[in-house]
Amino acid sequence: MHADKVFKALADPTRRKLLDRLCEKNGQTLGELCENLDMARQSATQHLGILEEAHLVSTVRRGREKLHFINPVPIHEVYERWVRKFEIQRLSLLHDLKTELEGEEK
């Protein structure tokens, strides 16, 4: 099932970080994605492979470079299938109650 691959890909904080970096600047090379991350290129390549399998990242060759682009469609599909069905009003009320009970400021 395709959704299983999306959930697996999103379950890992490193992969979410890579997606965040692509949200900030789409179309990055492996080297750009690895900048300021405490990760070997080989590890990043493995994580990107899982993201590609889940169709969360697509790549385009530009000469010798391989550019990585985020594909938001699978995340939107997860949202439509698993998140949207919960009414926003109910979630907002629960969030407000939780915040009040925990004594956090809004």
Side-chain angles (χ1 to χ4, degrees):
M1 182 174 177
H2 181 68
D4 291 341
K5 288 184 179 184
V6 174
F7 281 112
K8 177 185 174 187
L10 294 174
D12 185 89
T14 300
R15 291 191 282 275
R16 291 192 306 268
K17 177 78 171 172
L18 289 168
L19 289 174
D20 286 340
R21 292 188 64 121
L22 287 173
C23 276
E24 292 168 11
K25 181 186 171 215
N26 217 1
Q28 295 185 60
T29 64
L30 178 62
E32 290 171 323
L33 285 169
C34 289
E35 284 178 18
N36 302 318
L37 289 180
D38 188 24
M39 180 185 333
R41 291 173 65 97
Q42 183 178 5
S43 295
T45 299
Q46 290 173 342
H47 285 294
L48 287 167
I50 292 169
L51 291 169
E52 285 182 62
E53 276 185 42
H55 303 286
L56 291 164
V57 169
S58 60
T59 59
V60 174
R61 288 256 179 219
R62 184 181 65 190
R64 294 186 341 179
E65 292 182 319
K66 185 177 181 182
L67 302 177
H68 299 83
F69 294 89
I70 192 166
N71 177 15
V73 173
I75 293 173
H76 180 71
E77 289 170 349
V78 165
Y79 169 78
E80 287 293 321
R81 171 65 176 91
W82 296 101
V83 179
R84 190 170 189 227
K85 66 183 175 183
F86 299 102
E87 294 176 291
I88 291 175
Q89 183 181 10
R90 286 185 184 170
L91 290 175
S92 294
L93 290 172
L94 287 173
H95 177 265
D96 291 346
L97 178 62
K98 176 185 178 290
T99 301
E100 187 175 321
L101 291 173
E102 292 177 352
E104 297 175 6
E105 290 186 30
K106 291 184 183 179

